[in-house]
């Protein structure tokens, strides 16, 4: 009996170790680094990543408190939240709390929208985002600093941050890591959409670079002027200078009368290949698919119905999972610093249009059958209660 208790105590005190991850065999091409991914953030990749980041930042999480039967009422200012209510517990939205103050102004440089937009943007590009918590004298965070993900390396002892002034090891209790799932390394890795379509992004960049170099110095003349006889060097230079002087810039369309017999051959060359342009459109479609961004967002050849359907698809398949992954990470690592009991939790509003319509119908039913009063419903929407008309003072009896 004593041996069993000692064994359990030893197992409880022992720091749990993560299981070993079997990495895939090395490929012929080197895997891109975080800096390589940031360098490819342009064109279609930047458009898709910025769309997802700005949309996720538009749905900031709200703070709620749950009260189960037998628990005391919350000690913070709250208002009703009927769309989160259940029969087993009461859910109320917290309107005043130190965590809400922290998220409104996370540090002297960034506000709430900046923080959440940068967090999602780093995940879209690198696959992982890091928050550095700055604690105050009461042991709760007083500032949040988003760290450049390409300068952070997770280690068994913490997180190695490579700053301009040098390297320093950050303790794990001060860092919150937001990771996208990576089947190759489920504990320290993060597979970003940009990494998943890295080859396609490079192909678009190389095509743009080829077009730019072709425009700057395509080394193909527009015409060849061939005299019948052999010209001396100074005569050939004089004829070339005269030809360029009269016909270049604003001289297009003029008539040139030569004093010698010349044969003019016009060259027609195309700066684009139809097959290459078709491949480029397919490549951009693959990039959009990796970021879960509908093609209708990047095309003008669409109508209102297709655009609305694309928006609903984007909110349901791309934004909603990203919001849930972000909120659960905050509930896991940030909320226990304020509430060890687990009654507080963060949750973002449902962005999907269908669920918003369902919420409106639920509110109508709650009002219709008297489950909530009009003032309680207004409180859930952040509105003040209705002003009750005051009765005029009665005149004294004569």
């Amino acid at each position: 009996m004593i041996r069993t208790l000692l064994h359990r105590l030893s197992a409880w005190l022992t720091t749990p170790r993560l299981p070993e991850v079997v990495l895939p065999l090395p490929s012929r091409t080197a895997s891109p680094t975080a800096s390589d991914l940031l360098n490819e953030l342009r064109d279609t990749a930047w458009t898709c990543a910025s769309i997802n980041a700005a949309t996720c930042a538009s749905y900031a999480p709200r703070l709620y408190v749950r009260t189960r039967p037998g628990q005391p009422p919350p000690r913070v200012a709250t208002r009703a939240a009927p769309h989160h209510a259940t029969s087993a517990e009461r859910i109320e939205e917290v309107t005043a709390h130190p965590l809400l103050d922290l998220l409104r102004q996370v540090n002297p440089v960034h506000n709430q929208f900046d923080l959440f937009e940068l967090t999602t943007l780093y995940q879209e590009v690198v696959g992982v985002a890091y928050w550095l918590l700055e604690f105050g004298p009461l042991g709760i965070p007083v500032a949040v600093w988003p760290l450049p993900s390409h300068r952070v390396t997770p280690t068994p002892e913490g997180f190695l941050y490579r700053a301009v002034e040098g390297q320093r090891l950050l303790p794990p209790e001060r860092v919150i890591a937001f990771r996208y799932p990576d089947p190759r390394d489920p504990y320290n890795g993060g597979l970003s959409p940009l990494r998943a379509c890295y080859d396609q992004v490079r192909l678009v960049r190389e095509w743009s670079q080829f077009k730019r170099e072709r425009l700057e110095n395509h080394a193909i003349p527009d015409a060849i002027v061939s005299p019948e006889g052999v010209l001396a060097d100074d005569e050939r230079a004089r004829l070339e200078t005269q030809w360029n002087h009269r016909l270049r810039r604003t001289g297009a369309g003029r008539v040139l009368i030569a004093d010698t017999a010349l044969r003019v051959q016009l060259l027609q060359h195309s700066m684009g290949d139809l097959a290459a342009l078709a491949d480029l459109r397919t490549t951009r479609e693959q990039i959009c698919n990796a970021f879960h961004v509908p093609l209708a967002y990047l095309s003008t050849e669409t109508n209102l119905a297709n655009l609305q359907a694309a928006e609903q698809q984007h909110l349901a398949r791309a934004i909603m999972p990203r919001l849930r992954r972000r909120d659960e990470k905050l509930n896991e690592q940030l909320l226990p610093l304020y509430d060890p009991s687990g009654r507080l939790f963060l949750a973002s509003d449902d962005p999907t249009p269908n669920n918003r319509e369902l919420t409106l119908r639920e509110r109508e039913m709650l009002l219709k059958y008297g489950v909530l009063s009009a003032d309680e419903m207004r409180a859930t929407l952040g509105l003040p209660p209705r002003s009750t008309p005051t009765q005029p003072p009665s005149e004294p009896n004569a």
Side-chain angles (χ1 to χ4, degrees):
M1 184 65 179
I2 298 178
R3 180 180 301 178
T4 304
L5 293 177
L6 292 177
H7 178 72
R8 292 180 179 179
L9 180 61
S10 176
W12 180 73
L13 293 176
T14 303
T15 303
R17 298 179 59 187
L18 298 178
E20 296 182 358
V21 179
V22 181
L23 298 178
L25 295 177
S27 59
R28 296 181 180 178
T29 58
S31 180
T33 63
S35 299
D36 295 336
L37 294 173
L38 286 173
N39 292 333
E40 297 297 338
L41 187 59
R42 64 186 78 185
D43 298 332
T44 306
W46 162 252
T47 303
C48 296
S50 60
I51 288 176
N52 289 341
T55 306
C56 289
S58 301
Y59 293 91
R62 299 175 184 268
L63 183 61
Y64 297 94
V65 57
R66 58 169 59 92
T67 303
R68 296 185 175 90
Q71 290 183 335
R75 300 179 181 179
V76 292
T78 61
R79 63 185 178 188
H83 54 287
H84 282 282
T86 62
S87 58
E89 58 187 14
R90 181 180 179 182
I91 304 296
E92 298 173 282
E93 182 181 355
V94 179
T95 57
H97 194 271
L99 176 58
L100 298 178
D101 299 334
L102 174 67
L103 293 180
R104 291 190 188 99
Q105 187 65 46
V106 295
N107 59 57
V109 180
H110 302 100
N111 53 33
Q112 178 178 260
F113 193 93
D114 297 334
L115 177 65
F116 289 128
E117 187 176 26
L118 280 172
T119 301
T120 306
L121 191 59
Y122 275 123
Q123 289 179 283
E124 297 290 308
V125 178
V126 184
V128 58
Y130 299 98
W131 286 8
L132 176 62
L133 303 180
E134 179 182 343
F135 290 91
L138 298 180
I140 60 175
V142 294
V144 178
W145 299 92
L147 298 177
S149 298
H150 59 288
R151 296 183 179 179
V152 180
T153 302
T155 64
E157 294 79 15
F159 297 88
L160 184 63
Y161 177 57
R162 298 180 298 275
V164 179
E165 60 275 8
Q167 298 182 356
R168 57 174 176 153
L169 185 64
L170 303 176
E173 61 270 11
R174 292 190 57 194
V175 178
I176 299 179
F178 301 83
R179 305 182 185 278
Y180 277 173
D182 188 353
R184 300 170 302 180
D185 187 0
Y187 299 100
N188 295 321
L191 182 59
S192 67
L194 182 57
R195 175 64 185 90
C197 62
Y198 182 72
D199 294 336
Q200 288 75 18
V201 172
R202 287 190 58 188
L203 183 62
V204 173
R205 189 252 301 169
E206 292 173 356
W207 170 258
S208 300
Q209 183 178 359
F210 167 75
K211 294 282 289 185
R212 183 176 62 255
E213 294 176 352
R214 190 79 177 271
L215 287 172
E216 292 177 354
N217 184 20
H218 53 81
I220 300 178
D222 293 331
I224 298 178
V225 180
S226 304
E228 290 187 353
V230 179
L231 298 179
D233 293 342
D234 55 348
E235 182 65 17
R236 184 172 63 250
R238 183 192 65 82
L239 183 61
E240 182 179 350
T241 303
Q242 182 183 9
W243 187 283
N244 290 328
H245 177 71
R246 293 187 178 183
L247 297 183
R248 291 189 66 179
R249 298 292 181 181
T250 59
R254 290 183 181 180
V255 177
L256 178 66
I257 300 177
D259 52 1
T260 58
L262 300 174
R263 184 171 60 89
V264 180
Q265 179 184 359
L266 299 180
L267 301 181
Q268 296 181 357
H269 51 86
S270 175
M271 294 296 295
D273 186 4
L274 295 180
L277 292 177
D279 292 340
L280 185 62
R281 285 193 293 267
T282 304
T283 302
R284 288 178 174 172
E285 181 179 354
Q286 294 174 347
I287 296 175
C288 292
N289 292 337
F291 283 92
H292 304 100
V293 172
L295 287 174
Y297 283 8
L298 280 71
S299 174
T300 58
E301 300 176 358
T302 184
N303 52 38
L304 181 59
N306 292 338
L307 189 59
Q308 291 176 347
E311 181 182 7
Q312 180 176 357
Q313 176 187 2
H314 179 242
L315 293 175
R317 298 185 179 181
I319 302 304
M320 187 62 187
R322 285 166 167 81
L323 294 179
R324 182 170 181 180
R325 188 180 295 113
R326 180 194 66 187
D327 296 345
E328 290 190 359
K329 180 58 65 174
L330 293 176
N331 291 328
E332 172 191 343
Q333 296 192 12
L334 184 60
L335 261 298
L337 302 176
Y338 294 90
D339 177 38
S341 64
R343 296 180 59 179
L344 293 177
F345 67 94
L346 289 168
S348 301
D349 293 340
D350 195 338
T352 54
N354 290 339
N355 293 342
R356 287 203 301 264
E357 294 177 0
L358 178 61
T359 301
L360 292 176
R361 289 196 295 267
E362 289 179 351
R363 290 175 178 174
E364 291 178 359
M365 297 296 291
L366 292 175
L367 286 174
K368 180 179 179 180
Y369 292 100
V371 179
L372 289 177
S373 64
D375 288 340
E376 290 175 337
M377 184 61 68
R378 290 174 63 88
T380 62
L381 302 176
L383 300 176
R386 296 180 301 176
S387 59
T388 57
T390 59
Q391 298 292 337
S394 58
E395 297 181 358
N397 296 329

